[in-house]
Amino acid sequence: MFELTGKVALVTGGSRGIGRAIAVALAKQGAYVAINYAGNEAAASEALAIVREGGGDGEIVRFDVASQTSFEEAIDDLVKRKGRLDVLVSNAGIAMDQLLLRIKPEELEKTFATNVGGALWGAKAAMRHMMRKRTGRIVFLSSVVAESGNPGQAVYSASKAALLGLTKTLAREYASRGVTVNAVAPGFIATDMTAGLPEDVKKKIVEQTPLARIGSPEEVAAAVVYLASDEAGYVTGQVLRVNGGMYV
Ligand code: NAP
C-alpha cells in the first residue's frame, strides 16, 4: 500500500522539521525526492543523507518559494531531467508572531509571499506538467490555527486559512485533469518552529490537546504519504487534520 516507486516528488522546506520527515517518508515509499530549502544547505544535505540511508534517492534544490520565476525554473529543470513530477508538497512556511496592534506591513507581506505565494506559484508551475500526464498530487501544509485561531498569530493563521481556500478551489479546477489537491493541517508539532516557545505555553497547548502530547513530524508525514498515494485517488479538496484532537 502507498507505493510510490517510479514517482518524482518535490517537497518545499524539506531540509528541516516536518518537510524533512515528509521527504524521508516519501522516499521510503520509493519516490525520488527533490528537497527544497531556503538557505540551510547543511540541513538539506543531512536530509538527503537520511533519505539515502533509508535506501531512497533524491537531490537538494535551493530556491525561495516566494519567487515565482525561481519556483518555475526549479520545477521545469526537475521535469526535464526526471521526465515527470507526480507529487508537490508545499510545506515551506514561516511564522512571524505578533499581536494585531504591533503587526508591520513587511511581516504581512513576507508571511503571505512565503506561505501563500509559495503554495500558489508551486501549484501553478507543477500543474502544467501534471495536467499533461493527467495525474498528480498536490498537498499544502496548513495549520490547526487556520480553523481555531490563536492569539498572536493573526498573520500566520490568516495565511494558513488562505491555503484552505486555495486547496478547495484548485481541487475543483483540476479534478477533471486527474490532479488532486488536499491540505494537511497539523496541530502542535516538535520542530525548530515551535522549539523556542516558552515551557508554560507548551504545557498549556498539551493541556488543550485531547491526546495530551505534542505531535511528531513523522505523524504529519504519514498523512502526506497517504494523500500522495494512488490509494487516495478519490480524495480531493479535503483537509486532513493531524492535531491530537486539538480542534475537531
Ligand atoms: P521549520 O522547522 O521552521 O522549517 C521550515 C522549513 O521551510 C525549512 O526547511 C526552511 O528552509 C524552509 N523555508 C522557509 N522559508 C522558505 C522559503 N522562502 N523558500 C524555501 N524554503 C523555505 O518548520 P516546520 O515546523 O517543519 O513547519 C513546516 C510547515 O508546517 C510550515 O508550513 C508550518 O507553517 C506548518 N506547520 C507547522 C506546525 C508546527 O507545530 N511545527 C504546526 C502547523 C503547521 P531552510 O532550512 O533552508 O531555512
Side-chain angles (χ1 to χ4, degrees):
M1 259 185 136
F2 312 140
E3 182 65 45
L4 297 173
T5 302
K7 304 208 170 180
V8 175
L10 170 63
V11 181
T12 68
S15 49
R16 292 186 282 123
I18 294 171
R20 179 188 285 198
I22 292 169
V24 170
L26 292 174
K28 203 163 260 175
Q29 297 309 115
Y32 179 91
V33 186
I35 299 168
N36 157 257
Y37 65 105
N40 194 338
E41 187 164 345
S45 300
E46 200 177 282
L48 181 58
I50 297 168
V51 161
R52 291 191 170 140
E53 274 161 30
D57 198 13
E59 61 187 79
I60 61 169
V61 51
R62 179 181 182 164
F63 65 89
D64 180 354
V65 294
S67 160
Q68 182 186 5
T69 46
S70 306
F71 215 142
E72 202 174 288
E73 278 166 20
I75 286 189
D76 288 353
D77 177 60
L78 181 64
V79 173
K80 205 167 151 194
R81 287 181 293 106
K82 304 304 289 181
R84 56 196 297 145
L85 176 66
D86 302 282
V87 180
L88 169 67
V89 183
S90 268
N91 162 83
I94 55 167
M96 301 173 94
D97 296 348
Q98 204 64 271
L99 292 171
L100 174 68
L101 299 186
R102 295 195 187 137
I103 295 168
K104 297 188 191 73
E106 53 270 30
E107 290 164 347
L108 178 73
E109 279 153 27
K110 185 154 196 232
T111 305
F112 268 72
T114 306
N115 296 4
V116 185
L120 194 144
W121 300 135
K124 186 181 174 191
M127 198 63 82
R128 290 183 296 122
H129 300 289
M130 291 176 172
M131 279 167 60
R132 211 169 294 140
K133 298 259 183 202
R134 301 200 72 79
T135 180
R137 297 275 185 270
I138 295 177
V139 182
F140 297 127
L141 266 290
S142 179
S143 167
V144 64
V145 302
E147 297 179 293
S148 67
N150 194 27
Q153 292 199 305
V155 171
Y156 178 73
S157 65
S159 76
K160 293 294 171 179
L163 292 182
L164 303 185
L166 190 63
T167 300
K168 292 173 193 190
T169 295
L170 298 187
R172 288 183 187 276
E173 271 186 27
Y174 297 98
S176 65
R177 310 300 183 104
V179 180
T180 67
V181 185
N182 291 288
V184 169
F188 189 83
I189 310 297
T191 69
D192 292 346
M193 188 180 266
T194 50
L197 288 175
E199 281 311 312
D200 60 316
V201 174
K202 288 187 192 171
K203 195 166 159 252
K204 215 168 146 196
I205 291 168
V206 169
E207 280 166 12
Q208 289 163 359
T209 306
L211 285 175
R213 64 173 176 86
I214 288 169
S216 73
E218 290 72 24
E219 288 171 313
V220 180
V224 175
V225 167
Y226 166 64
L227 292 172
S229 71
D230 288 344
E231 283 80 356
Y234 200 52
V235 179
T236 197
Q238 303 303 310
V239 184
L240 183 42
R241 301 174 180 88
V242 184
N243 63 21
M246 195 180 192
Y247 177 86
V248 292

